[in-house]
Amino acid sequence: MNFLELVKNRFSCRGYQALDVEKEKVDYIMECVRLAPSAVNKQPWHFYVVDKEEDKEKLRQCYDRNWFNTAPMYIIATILHDEEWVRADGKHHGDIDIAIAVEHLCLAATEQGLATCWVCNFNAALCQELFTFADNEEPAVVIPLGYPAKELKPKDRKAMDDILSAVK
């Protein structure tokens, strides 16, 4: 599939089949993440695979939604704050860099016939309590990963004229 088809097929999945994700697919997806660009190539991130039942139950406490509980596995993406690049005006790029890497994850998963959803509205403080992260790590995104339970619905997006203009 070409890139436009891939982007059209990627969606925020809110319901997963009770099927395990093959290790080969996870390895492929994470290789795509590893190759994601970042400011000054700092790669200020770390990813954790959550696939053991006891760990999934702990993570589900951080985001209590029925659909979230259907995922067969999750990826926790953390920002490594002491490794992120800081622009001259003080802007930290950790959030930007992790967003690029996570979207690489989501697109690679789509290419592999899997589905994902960005979850940023989780209880990060509880996640920090329940799992062991380094002092410099901030849990930033949780990505459920699995085979979608439902077909993709047509996307509702703004018109091109609403998002694109010439510089004035």
Side-chain angles (χ1 to χ4, degrees):
M1 97 178 65
N2 68 38
F3 190 70
L4 184 58
E5 291 171 36
L6 178 64
V7 172
K8 285 179 178 180
N9 284 324
R10 188 245 167 261
F11 70 104
S12 296
C13 182
R14 291 182 175 85
Y16 298 86
Q17 296 179 43
L19 298 171
D20 289 336
V21 177
E22 299 87 343
K23 182 184 181 324
E24 300 78 29
K25 289 188 176 188
V26 175
D27 291 347
Y28 175 87
I29 291 164
M30 295 314 298
E31 178 64 8
C32 293
V33 170
R34 188 183 72 80
L35 295 171
S38 62
V40 195
N41 197 33
K42 292 282 191 177
Q43 296 178 283
W45 55 60
H46 196 87
F47 292 82
Y48 295 88
V49 174
V50 181
D51 59 359
K52 293 183 180 78
E53 201 55 46
E54 65 197 53
D55 293 331
K56 291 191 290 187
E57 288 304 318
K58 287 194 315 190
L59 185 59
R60 289 169 179 154
Q61 294 175 50
C62 302
Y63 190 70
D64 187 22
R65 305 291 191 283
N66 288 335
W67 71 264
F68 185 76
N69 297 340
T70 67
M73 69 180 302
Y74 306 90
I75 307 289
I76 301 172
T78 65
I79 298 172
L80 305 175
H81 286 295
D82 61 348
E83 294 183 26
E84 66 188 323
W85 181 71
V86 181
R87 197 167 61 193
D89 66 0
K91 166 73 176 135
H92 289 251
H93 271 251
D95 287 339
I96 295 168
D97 291 339
I98 203 165
I100 295 166
V102 169
E103 193 56 17
H104 270 57
L105 187 159
C106 293
L107 290 169
T110 300
E111 183 206 22
Q112 294 297 302
L114 299 166
T116 58
C117 184
W118 281 72
V119 176
C120 298
N121 187 27
F122 67 103
N123 187 334
L126 180 58
C127 186
Q128 191 94 38
E129 263 180 56
L130 296 174
F131 297 98
T132 305
F133 300 113
D135 290 342
N136 67 328
E137 283 184 272
E138 173 194 354
V141 184
V142 175
I143 306 102
L145 177 66
Y147 289 94
K150 297 178 184 175
E151 293 284 321
L152 169 67
K153 295 178 185 174
K155 291 186 179 192
D156 180 24
R157 297 292 191 262
K158 292 180 180 181
M160 188 64 73
D161 290 345
D162 292 338
I163 66 161
L164 180 64
S165 300
V167 176
K168 297 177 184 177

